[in-house]
Amino acid sequence: MLELIDTHCHLDVAAFDSDRDAVWRRCGALGLSTILVPAIQADGWTHLLDCCARSEAGAPRLFPALGLHPVYLDRHREADIVALERALAEQRPAAVGEIGLDFFVEGLDPERQLRLFEAQLQIARDVGLPVLLHVRKAHDQVLAALRRIPVVGGIAHAFSGSLEQGRRYLDLGFALGFGGMLTFERSTKLRRLARQLPLEGIVLETDAPDLTVASHRGERNSPEYLPEILAALAAVRGLGLDEVARATTANARRVLGLDRV
């Protein structure tokens, strides 16, 4: 069985409340060894950590990431930065995230987003943790911030920037996350990127419950669909499933330092 890692899955959210354990167990049967669960806001950290604390033979390990998501800017408070520092020191999660900049959603103050992002980058740098980046219409601004405040690396989640921007992330020690949109034939730009970028810079993700695969269009996304994303990536690159699974799993372990957690 192929070993797979889902580097971005919101398994803690309410969409999974009715069947979270069943989904988790089915993922183990499909070959998922690890699922990374990124946070959205401070008041969800405790629940997220509780979800990730469970352990069962044959089921994936759940690794938490803690951070403040830019889209939920109005829910974050200044005190949350102090709380994040404390939580990282006490919990030592796998990463800081989901953090970043979103200049696509209207009504989100760009300057406040940048202040929040840079504060979290500084914390990640100080504690030596990788970061999970949320970036929409802001790749150049995020890359500039990463040059100002260098961190140990991480993942540019749901990457859809340019080839040049992708290479700049790789130069900074980041991997690029590809998910369910890769399974849609109409995603020609994304498929071209997945073919042109070096395989050693790519990791797999679902972003469940969002951004589902083509075979489940209009439905809740699930980490169970990660094998379909693997198949899509292998197809666009003209490689075997085994080779792509080994490479993306090794990439995820390396960039996230999972073997040290």
Side-chain angles (χ1 to χ4, degrees), residues 15-247:
F16 291 105
D17 282 353
S18 65
D19 62 347
R20 182 176 293 109
D21 286 351
V23 168
W24 174 55
R25 293 185 179 106
R26 288 196 298 267
C27 285
L30 293 168
L32 273 74
S33 67
T34 304
I35 298 175
L36 199 66
V37 186
I40 293 172
Q41 61 194 70
D43 64 8
W45 294 345
T46 298
H47 174 60
L48 185 151
L49 290 165
D50 288 344
C51 288
C52 291
R54 66 193 64 207
S55 177
E56 184 176 303
R61 293 185 67 188
L62 302 177
F63 286 97
L66 299 181
L68 303 168
H69 194 300
V71 168
Y72 302 94
L73 193 63
D74 62 345
R75 303 183 189 180
H76 307 323
R77 303 293 178 262
E78 292 296 329
D80 291 342
I81 291 295
V82 176
L84 179 60
E85 289 183 284
R86 183 170 59 250
L88 294 177
E90 293 174 353
Q91 304 295 335
R92 194 64 186 183
V96 176
E98 177 175 353
I99 69 174
L101 298 175
D102 194 313
F103 293 170
F104 174 77
V105 176
E106 295 182 1
L108 297 176
D109 183 342
E111 292 184 4
R112 188 175 169 217
Q113 282 193 65
L114 184 59
R115 288 196 301 271
L116 178 68
F117 179 44
E118 291 190 335
Q120 293 182 93
L121 284 180
Q122 289 168 357
I123 293 171
R125 178 193 60 191
D126 292 345
V127 299
L129 286 176
V131 300
L132 303 181
L133 296 174
H134 172 102
V135 191
R136 286 203 292 183
K137 302 294 183 182
H139 285 291
D140 288 339
Q141 293 88 341
V142 166
L143 286 160
L146 291 170
R147 288 192 294 271
R148 290 192 299 271
I149 309 171
V151 295
V152 297
I155 296 171
H157 147 64
F159 180 70
S160 62
S162 69
L163 180 60
E164 176 58 29
Q165 288 166 336
R167 288 171 172 160
R168 287 159 65 191
Y169 280 114
L170 298 181
D171 288 343
L172 292 172
F174 280 75
L176 307 171
F178 284 83
M181 295 305 296
L182 197 63
T183 66
F184 288 83
E185 291 186 6
R186 70 173 185 270
S187 298
T188 54
K189 176 193 171 185
L190 195 65
R191 288 179 168 220
R192 184 168 60 250
L193 279 171
R195 183 172 60 252
Q196 293 175 329
L197 288 162
L199 184 59
E200 59 268 24
I202 293 176
V203 295
L204 302 179
E205 62 171 60
T206 60
D207 197 25
D210 300 319
L211 299 179
T212 196
V213 294
S215 63
H216 292 272
R217 185 197 310 259
E219 302 173 13
R220 180 191 73 176
N221 196 8
S222 172
E224 299 167 86
Y225 308 150
L226 197 69
E228 297 185 39
I229 299 167
L230 168 70
L233 180 59
V236 300
R237 296 192 69 97
L239 298 173
L241 293 176
D242 285 6
E243 182 177 355
V244 177
R246 284 194 301 270

